[in-house]
Amino acid sequence: MMDTRTKIIKRAVQEIQNGMNVNLGIGIPTLLANEIPSDVHVLLQSENGLLGIGPYPVEGMEDPDLINAGKETVTAVIGGSFFDSAESFAMIRGGHIDLAILGGMEVSEQGDLANWMIPGKMIKGMGGAMDLVHGAKRVVVIMEHTNKYNESKIKNSCTLPLTGQKVVHRLITDLAVFDFTTEGMILMETQEGVTINEVIEKTEASFTISPNLYCVKGIYKRLR
C-alpha cells in the first residue's frame, strides 16, 4: 500500500504535461522531479536561478553549489541554464511559468492559500510563493488532507496568514482532488479506496460533487 506522500505525488505528476515550464515548491513538491516520466520533456525552474532541474543526485555525486530554492542539492539537465534571482522572478512575474505545484498548510473553499508561516514560529522568509501564485498560469497545491490532530486543512476560511487569495486552481490531497471555479469548490476525484463520505467527514470546507465523479462497487473514482 502506498504511503500518504507517495499517493499525493503519483497523482500530482499527472498534472505535468510535455513542453511545460514548471516550478516545484519546497517540500513534497520537489519530490516530483524524480517521478516525471522520461518521455515527458519539461523544464523545472527554481527561484534561486536554475531552469532545467534534473532528478536528485545519487549519493556521493552531490555538487554543493548546485541547489534548488529549498537549498537541496539537485542536478541539471542538458540544456539547463543558470541566472540571477532577478531574472528568475522576471520569468515568474512575466507569466512564463506554465505550472506551479506548491505545498500548503491550509486552503480555503474560495481557493485561498496559506503556506508560508505559523505565527510565533521562526521563519526565514516567504520565498517565491507569493509571486508564483500570481505569476504562474496554473497553481496546483498538494498537501495532506488533515493535520496531525486529524483536523481538516481545507477550511471555510484560512486561519493562517495568506500567501494569496483565490489563487488555487486545483488541490490534490491523500484523499481527493478538488477544483476551484466560479461556481465554487468542486470534488473532482477521490483517491483509490476513499469514499465520498470520508471526504465529507474530513473536510471543513463546503464543496459540490462533480457529475463526472461516479461510483464503482462503493468506491468512487475519476471518470476517465
Side-chain angles (χ1 to χ4, degrees):
M1 181 180 292
M2 287 190 287
D3 62 31
T4 298
R5 285 193 168 192
T6 301
K7 189 182 294 186
I8 295 170
I9 291 166
K10 294 286 185 187
R11 175 59 189 84
V13 78
Q14 296 177 36
E15 302 293 318
I16 298 175
Q17 304 297 322
N18 212 31
M20 282 182 164
N21 295 319
V22 180
N23 185 292
L24 300 177
I26 296 170
I28 300 177
T30 58
L31 301 177
L32 269 73
N34 281 8
E35 295 294 330
I36 299 172
S38 58
D39 60 344
V40 175
H41 302 289
V42 298
L43 286 175
L44 300 181
Q45 192 252 15
S46 181
E47 298 101 290
N48 59 319
L50 172 56
L51 182 65
I53 297 173
Y56 282 108
V58 297
E59 189 173 350
M61 297 296 289
E62 301 93 342
D63 179 348
D65 291 326
L66 188 53
I67 59 174
N68 62 17
K71 299 180 177 57
E72 301 170 308
T73 53
V74 295
T75 61
V77 299
I78 295 173
S81 58
F82 305 89
F83 34 84
D84 60 35
S85 289
E87 237 176 314
S88 184
F89 277 86
M91 288 180 186
I92 296 169
R93 294 170 185 174
H96 303 291
I97 303 301
D98 299 298
L99 172 67
I101 299 180
L102 306 174
M105 295 175 180
E106 292 178 346
V107 171
S108 80
E109 63 191 42
Q110 293 83 27
D112 303 335
L113 170 65
N115 78 342
W116 69 286
M117 76 166 295
I118 296 174
K121 293 201 172 183
M122 180 178 292
I123 58 167
K124 295 181 179 178
M126 173 170 275
M130 184 177 283
D131 288 88
L132 284 163
V133 296
H134 294 290
K137 295 173 184 172
R138 182 171 171 79
V139 176
V140 174
V141 173
I142 61 176
M143 66 181 193
E144 293 174 342
H145 205 95
T146 58
N147 63 22
K148 61 183 179 181
Y149 305 109
N150 206 31
E151 297 167 339
S152 177
K153 295 169 67 175
I154 310 169
K155 304 286 190 180
N156 300 128
S157 299
C158 292
T159 60
L160 296 173
L162 291 183
T163 306
Q165 287 184 304
K166 299 181 178 179
V167 293
V168 181
H169 295 97
R170 173 162 281 186
L171 169 64
I172 299 171
T173 77
D174 49 310
L175 297 184
V177 177
F178 298 93
D179 278 351
F180 297 85
T181 73
T182 52
E183 280 74 46
M185 180 175 161
I186 302 174
L187 175 63
M188 303 299 295
E189 305 173 27
T190 57
Q191 295 274 18
E192 185 173 0
V194 177
T195 66
I196 289 180
N197 283 340
E198 183 177 2
V199 176
I200 293 172
E201 288 170 5
K202 295 183 178 179
T203 306
E204 178 187 297
S206 300
F207 61 87
T208 58
I209 298 172
S210 168
N212 290 331
L213 199 79
Y214 75 115
C215 175
V216 178
K217 295 181 180 178
I219 297 176
Y220 292 82
K221 293 183 178 180
R222 181 174 56 152
L223 183 61
R224 299 181 185 279

